[in-house]
Amino acid sequence: MNATTSSTAPERVRRARIVAVTSGKGGVGKTFVSANLAAALARRGLQVLVLDADLGLANLDVVLNLHPKITLHDVFTERATLEQALLPAPGGFSVLLAGSGLVEYSRLTPEVRDKLQDIVDQVRPRFDVVILDTGAGISDVVLHAVSLADEVLVIATPEPTALTDAYATIKVLATQQQRHELRLVVNQVARSGDGRAIAAQLQQVVDRFVTPAVGAPVQLSLLGDVPSDTAVREAVQRRQLLVEAMPGAAAAQAFGPLAQRLIG
Amino acid sequence: MSDRRTNAPAELRLDAALQLLGRSGVELPKPADPRDPLWLQQVIDGLIEVSSRDVLTGLANRRQFEIALERESDRVARAGEPALLLLLDLDFFKSINDTHGHAAGDLVLQAVAQALLDCVRPMDTVARYGGEEFAIILPNCPPAFGQTVAERVRRRIESRPVQISPSVALSVTASVGGAFAPPWVRSSASLWTERADRQLYLAKSSGRNRACLEAAATTEVSAEEKGLLFGLSAPMPFDDVPQFRASKS
């Protein structure tokens, strides 16, 4: 079923919540979390779109084993319509793929900025939740993609560099985009529950250094953690969605509560 | 010059180039052998020099400015060293031209160019960006110094009336807009310029003869912050934290 491209006039105009998923450091599972969270939300009856906003090094297609003929690039260059580029993904949600190798968009130009804004405006009425899967680093493209979102989900892992980069991201978003509430997902924790201590630690540093600089309290709220699990790598290697392929795995089970908290 | 041509390889026509270099004040040593590639390289270098300068003021021209800004934007993204871009616009310049003539306007532009060169470091790029618009690229400029630098530039222009004739000195002011390239961030020179331009607009619209700077973003994480992030936590008290997975859906 692909409700997203259905042209049977949707009576009520939905305004999706736009959620940016970002991390600072690459390789902490942004795309993994985006896709599995989307599937968990879809399972709860929501119409969900994952928009691959990692324009320079997109890999949502790899994670989902999709081979799109039409991508965001075609929409940008007006070779295809948005409808043609919206694809159904295995987890019951829709995707808008950037297509790998869009190196020309890894640098934010006024053109890319305006086009991304256009796309977000167009998809907003069609979904309940739009997840913007952003790129690694704190580039202008990432900051711009995040600026289009209603809320921000920062992905961290307990690893020191990932935590430092997550903190740097939080700091930039708080000072530059006046984000005073950010959500946190701690991926690859040794044990379920470890995310709390890590979130508390981050909050402590934010209270001490970021809040005074911003002049208002900056609040991190833990959406949840995802335990380190060999099933994750297995699913990624099989290029399957974890929550679909191995719903019983500990990591897969984390996504239900995650989705629930996001919409709750 | 003519014997240079006759001795040069047949396909090279250097007359116009050498004339241009001569008129632009670029001096070339007499060639030992005019086909000497090193001498030809000096001709090429001279031409590059001429094509990157503004004729009236001798500052970098817009072409050179854009190359320098692109390079600096890349460098900031790679090295994380903060860099400031200032855009300046002379206030009410048109009325100087209208009242005192274009020759006076030219003198003002030249004087401002010199004033700008006098108050920046040798490593900074000062450019004539448009008619009465100037730009300064300041590599390795800490955000904390931004306002001071911008103010210094503004005040230097304000404090130096331009003698356009023995009896007439014009006081000139400029509006200044500035923005930092965000360190470690891959951005584009055009967006950087746009940000500075927005500040210039603010300076203009809030009364002119002032400097407005965009607040710099901080992506750096200090040792103190890292210390707090990791130092105090280990070992993390995981055991008294409720298990998150127990929650229902």
Side-chain angles (χ1 to χ4, degrees):
Chain A
M1 168 206 101
N2 187 5
T4 62
T5 53
S6 116
S7 52
T8 51
E11 275 86 39
R12 60 199 180 95
V13 176
R14 272 191 303 267
R15 284 183 61 81
R17 285 166 65 178
I18 313 278
V19 182
V21 175
T22 189
S23 69
K25 190 177 183 295
V28 298
K30 269 187 310 292
T31 302
F32 163 73
V33 170
S34 298
N36 285 282
L37 182 60
L41 289 166
R43 195 165 288 176
R44 281 163 175 71
L46 296 175
Q47 295 193 344
V48 185
L49 170 72
V50 181
L51 197 160
D52 202 344
D54 186 353
L55 301 177
L57 266 169
N59 54 14
L60 185 61
D61 51 341
V62 178
V63 170
L64 296 171
N65 201 18
L66 292 169
H67 307 277
K69 287 208 170 57
I70 298 170
T71 65
L72 205 50
H73 178 62
D74 300 303
V75 182
F76 275 12
T77 53
E78 290 171 8
R79 279 194 294 245
T81 63
L82 181 62
E83 280 72 16
Q84 292 170 314
L86 287 169
L87 306 172
F93 56 95
S94 298
V95 289
L96 191 47
L97 299 169
S100 294
L102 276 189
V103 181
E104 62 216 89
Y105 298 129
S106 64
R107 183 176 282 273
L108 185 64
T109 61
E111 192 196 3
V112 170
R113 184 188 55 193
D114 295 347
K115 282 178 170 164
L116 211 51
Q117 172 80 63
D118 261 11
I119 302 271
V120 168
D121 288 346
Q122 286 180 61
V123 295
R124 197 190 265 275
R126 306 183 192 194
F127 295 91
D128 298 312
V129 178
V130 173
I131 295 175
L132 302 179
D133 180 20
T134 70
I138 312 176
S139 74
D140 263 12
V141 178
V142 172
L143 289 176
H144 173 61
V146 172
S147 77
L148 300 174
D150 303 314
E151 49 198 291
V152 184
L153 206 60
V154 178
I155 315 288
T157 74
E159 203 231 326
T161 55
L163 212 51
T164 306
D165 287 358
Y167 171 71
T169 302
I170 291 163
K171 193 158 94 164
V172 170
L173 294 179
T175 53
Q176 219 186 28
Q177 297 192 3
Q178 288 77 49
R179 298 265 178 196
H180 298 161
E181 284 178 29
L182 297 124
R183 294 182 182 247
L184 185 71
V185 169
V186 187
N187 191 21
Q188 295 166 15
V189 293
R191 280 181 289 170
S192 289
D194 286 4
R196 292 242 183 148
I198 289 163
Q201 201 62 36
L202 270 168
Q203 182 70 59
Q204 199 184 352
V205 191
V206 165
D207 288 347
R208 170 92 166 269
F209 292 96
V210 183
T211 292
V214 174
V218 176
Q219 195 62 44
L220 299 178
S221 65
L222 180 70
L223 198 63
D225 55 20
V226 180
S228 190
D229 188 340
T230 51
V232 174
R233 203 200 305 168
E234 208 180 311
V236 169
Q237 271 168 2
R238 280 154 57 179
R239 300 178 70 179
Q240 287 176 332
L241 209 53
L242 180 74
V243 295
E244 294 271 296
M246 286 167 265
Q253 301 228 323
F255 282 95
L258 231 64
Q260 197 57 42
R261 289 203 184 187
L262 186 71
I263 56 178
Chain B
M1 200 178 290
S2 62
D3 68 324
R4 272 180 200 170
R5 192 180 65 170
T6 48
N7 289 341
E11 66 272 21
L12 288 179
R13 295 177 170 220
L14 296 172
D15 274 9
L18 294 173
Q19 196 182 359
L20 179 67
L21 292 179
R23 285 183 63 106
S24 310
V26 177
E27 292 196 16
L28 290 169
K30 273 216 178 320
D33 172 3
R35 273 168 295 186
D36 178 4
L38 289 177
W39 181 76
L40 285 173
Q41 183 63 53
Q42 283 181 307
V43 174
I44 294 168
D45 290 349
L47 291 172
I48 290 172
E49 170 74 14
V50 169
S51 64
S52 60
R53 302 255 144 236
D54 172 57
V55 181
L56 180 67
T57 61
L59 297 178
N61 61 18
R62 181 159 180 163
R63 183 192 296 128
Q64 177 64 15
F65 164 75
E66 280 171 0
I67 292 170
L69 192 68
E70 202 74 60
R71 195 188 301 133
E72 188 55 27
S73 169
D74 279 346
R75 221 183 51 80
V76 171
R78 274 189 161 269
E81 235 177 49
L84 175 63
L85 168 64
L86 295 177
L87 295 181
L88 289 87
D89 193 294
L90 298 187
D91 299 325
F92 307 112
F93 181 73
K94 190 173 177 299
S95 73
I96 295 178
N97 271 336
D98 291 350
T99 314
H100 303 280
H102 283 87
D106 284 355
L107 282 175
V108 168
L109 291 171
Q110 285 169 330
V112 168
Q114 193 53 52
L116 295 180
L117 287 172
D118 289 348
C119 66
V120 298
R121 304 161 300 177
M123 65 202 275
D124 301 328
T125 301
V126 182
R128 185 171 170 212
Y129 184 64
E132 72 265 29
E133 279 190 304
F134 297 87
I136 309 176
I137 306 169
L138 301 112
N140 194 10
C141 176
F145 297 170
Q147 196 65 43
T148 312
V149 174
E151 266 304 308
R152 187 172 69 210
V153 168
R154 186 198 63 76
R155 224 174 302 124
R156 179 67 64 106
I157 293 169
E158 186 185 34
S159 67
R160 278 196 188 176
V162 182
Q163 205 77 39
I164 57 163
S165 74
S167 57
V168 182
L170 291 179
S171 52
V172 183
T173 62
S175 301
V176 183
F180 283 91
W184 305 114
V185 165
R186 276 179 63 79
S187 183
S188 62
S190 60
L191 276 183
W192 191 6
T193 312
E194 200 181 292
R195 284 205 295 268
D197 202 37
R198 204 174 302 139
Q199 297 300 319
L200 176 59
Y201 174 80
L202 279 178
K204 283 268 171 203
S205 58
S206 58
R208 296 185 173 85
N209 190 23
R210 65 191 63 205
C212 292
L213 245 66
E214 186 189 70
T218 42
T219 52
E220 239 155 78
V221 179
S222 68
E224 209 185 344
E225 286 166 293
K226 279 184 190 162
L228 189 56
L229 198 52
F230 306 115
L232 304 182
S233 66
M236 286 195 227
F238 291 143
D239 293 330
D240 55 18
V241 178
Q243 295 286 297
F244 171 67
R245 201 141 60 85
S247 85
K248 73 291 128 196
S249 62

